[in-house]
Each structure stands twice: as C-alpha cells, then as structure tokens.
Amino acid sequence: MCSLPPPPPPPPQTLDLKHDSPELPSYADSNPTPKFPEICEWATKNLDLWEACAKNSICPQIAPFKYCYKHFESILQVGPTCGLAALSMLVGGKVTASEMLDICKQEGYSNNGEMLSSKDMVKLAEKVFSLASIEGVSCGVKFGHLFSHDIIEKLLDGAVLLVPYDADANHSPCLRQGHKAHWALVSGVIVSRNSGSTLDSDPDNVYILCRHGKSRYLATWRLFDLYNSNKNLWEFIPPKGKENQLFIIPKGGIGGVDGLRKQFVIFHGL
C-alpha cells in the first residue's frame, strides 16, 4: 500500500520592510521592539534608527565603526515651507512653521515659506531659538565641502545640519540644477567601517540620517550624494502651480554667495 509523501515545509519567513508593512515597529506600539532584532541589532534601542537602517541594509550584521544619532520628531510641511518645517523639528515644534513664516515676511526672508538663502536661515534660526527659550546653541553658515573629514567628525561629535539640496521624486538627493530645491535636517551619521586615516576616504562608507518636511520617516542617504546635490543648486524654479506667486530670491540667485549652492547651516550645542 502506497502512502502520500508529507507536505513540503513552509517557505522561510522574509523581512518585508515596506513602510506600510505590519512588521515594522512604531513609537505608538505598546511594546516597541523590532520583530527581527538580529538585523541591525546595534540600532534596536532607537526604533526609527533601526527601521531606517534595516530597510536600507546599512550594517545589518555588524555594528558600524562609528555612528551618532539624535532623534527629532517629524513635522510635515504645508506648502513650500520645507526649510521652516525642518527648523521647527530642530526646536521640537516650540515655534511652528506658520509662526516662522510670519517672521520671514516681516524680515523680508520669504513670502511663501521658501528659504533660498542660507544666511537668512541662520538669521531666522537665531530668532527662533530666542522665541523657544533655547540657550547654548550656536549656528552658522558653512561654505564648501559637505563631504569632508571635518564635517563627518563634527556630526560624530553631535552637530546637526540643515542642508539645502535637490529632491528627487522619492525625496532623495538628485541633480536638477536647483529646480527641486528642498531642505533636510541631518541629525546623524554612520561610518560603516574603518577605511583608513581619513573619514572621507570612501564615499560608500558614510551615511547620514535625515528628516524633511515631506515624510514622517527617517531617511538614510550617502553623504556624498547630498554633497553633490548641494553643490548643484544653480537656479530656483517656482513649484508647480505657484508660478505666479512672488518669491524672494537673493542677489545672485540661489547659486550665488548669498544663496544655497555649496552652503549649509551647522548647529552645535543641541
């Protein structure tokens, strides 16, 4: 008498890290513990960090050589207020993007929420820190090489950046000549491995952790890609549907010394 063979075993469980996946933890969970703690185990104490690194396979099995991360709650922008939303995240929402826009209109920094000058962003930040009663924070414009040993060291020491760049359809850095100018809050850095005497010796070895006004999720990009996008900001194009609105463009345009190109804002003491 013949017997039927046993059924095949079920396929192995796979790690689906889509943002709408029920496998992903969230801060709203009563017990926010990763379901797959063996992946990026080094990051499991920070759920948003773990999710971002697991999703992008950054150091999935071995802890990075060096890293630093500061958590800021996401704030979504309304209209072309990406820089204001990023700055509001920086102060924990104590000053809203709407309140900042009122200041910008009074001071002549912006008409609609656009921030097309790094120098004006610093002036606004100083006023916002005062309103939020946040002391001991210094900020200033940095010119030149974003992807450098010096900046990576400063990020590892806890510095935070506001960086203008061109945003692709998925909001990651791209090269659009400034036509998709956007602001990102850089609140962390990951150096995957010890690749030599300088931290900037390998573009594939340094990742940044960012938030911006068009997503609730923490983003991870190569610092080298953000640097290339930042130095490609040559000219401003009004957002679609807002071509007839008046925008405040600095002398020389966003590609000039008073604009955005090859510039970013650095904060110490947060």
Side-chain angles (χ1 to χ4, degrees), residues 200-249:
D200 59 350
S201 60
D202 182 359
D204 291 324
N205 195 40
V206 183
Y207 298 89
I208 45 169
L209 301 155
C210 308
R211 292 196 182 276
H212 58 87
K214 291 189 176 180
S215 174
R216 294 189 181 278
Y217 298 99
L218 186 67
T220 56
W221 307 320
R222 293 196 316 166
L223 178 57
F224 190 69
D225 293 335
L226 187 64
Y227 156 68
N228 282 326
S229 186
N230 174 257
K231 71 175 184 176
N232 185 64
L233 299 173
W234 287 103
E235 61 178 358
F236 171 73
I237 297 295
K240 186 176 180 180
K242 300 184 183 297
E243 295 84 356
N244 295 324
Q245 294 185 4
L246 180 64
F247 293 88
I248 295 180
I249 301 175

Side-chain angles (χ1 to χ4, degrees), residues 91-195:
V91 298
K94 292 180 179 178
V95 183
T96 67
S98 178
E99 291 168 332
M100 292 183 204
L101 181 54
D102 290 338
I103 297 171
C104 288
K105 289 178 178 179
Q106 292 171 6
E107 299 294 334
Y109 305 152
S110 174
N111 276 335
N112 309 286
E114 75 284 358
M115 291 299 293
L116 304 180
S117 167
S118 295
K119 293 178 181 177
D120 285 347
M121 180 63 89
V122 168
K123 294 175 187 175
L124 176 62
E126 290 171 345
K127 295 178 183 297
V128 166
F129 283 123
S130 177
L131 286 172
S133 298
I134 297 175
E135 300 178 348
V137 178
S138 63
C139 64
V141 178
K142 291 284 286 186
F143 296 86
H145 214 310
L146 176 61
F147 182 72
S148 67
H149 179 89
D150 177 59
I151 294 302
I152 297 168
E153 262 195 340
K154 284 180 168 56
L155 287 169
L156 287 169
D157 287 340
V160 176
L161 310 179
L162 281 177
V163 182
Y165 73 103
D166 259 334
D168 211 341
N170 64 354
H171 314 304
S172 64
C174 68
L175 306 176
R176 299 282 182 90
Q177 303 292 311
H179 297 180
K180 295 293 184 179
H182 195 42
W183 283 90
L185 173 64
V186 180
S187 61
V189 65
I190 297 172
V191 181
S192 299
R193 62 191 181 281
N194 186 355
S195 61

